[in-house]
Amino acid sequence: MIKKGDMVGFKFRGDYHLAIIMEDLGRDYPYGRYTGLLIGSDGDYIPLSDDEITLLSTKSQVDQWEKQKKIQKILDKIKRTS
């Protein structure tokens, strides 16, 4: 169960992102049910749905998500240079 204050990860356009859930609008909102504060931004709030987010409840899960993010950046850089 995802609730306000939880850290979540999501993938958007091939990039890995982290967000903190700020609001749960309830089951009547299939897309954009949750509002998340995007980590590393200027305070941007984004709409998120259940099927696109992964709950990151431990520090090791957050660390794993960050590793995936770094690996993806390396792979994208390799693709651009080849």
Side-chain angles (χ1 to χ4, degrees), residues 10-79:
F10 65 98
K11 192 173 178 182
F12 179 72
R13 294 186 181 169
D15 292 331
Y16 290 86
H17 301 279
L18 293 171
I20 298 172
I21 299 298
M22 302 303 289
E23 185 177 29
D24 181 354
L25 301 174
R27 294 178 189 214
D28 296 334
Y29 289 86
Y31 183 78
R33 172 181 177 173
Y34 299 102
T35 301
L37 174 64
L38 188 60
I39 304 297
S41 72
D42 293 334
D44 295 334
Y45 281 30
I46 51 170
L48 298 165
S49 63
D50 283 333
D51 61 343
E52 67 184 3
I53 57 178
T54 302
L55 178 62
L56 305 172
S57 56
T58 65
K59 183 176 177 351
S60 64
Q61 288 175 321
V62 174
D63 291 343
Q64 188 80 14
W65 197 264
E66 284 292 319
K67 285 179 188 176
Q68 287 177 328
K69 187 176 178 177
K70 289 176 186 175
I71 289 170
Q72 187 65 44
K73 284 183 181 181
I74 291 169
L75 292 174
D76 289 345
K77 189 175 181 179
I78 290 170
K79 285 180 186 177

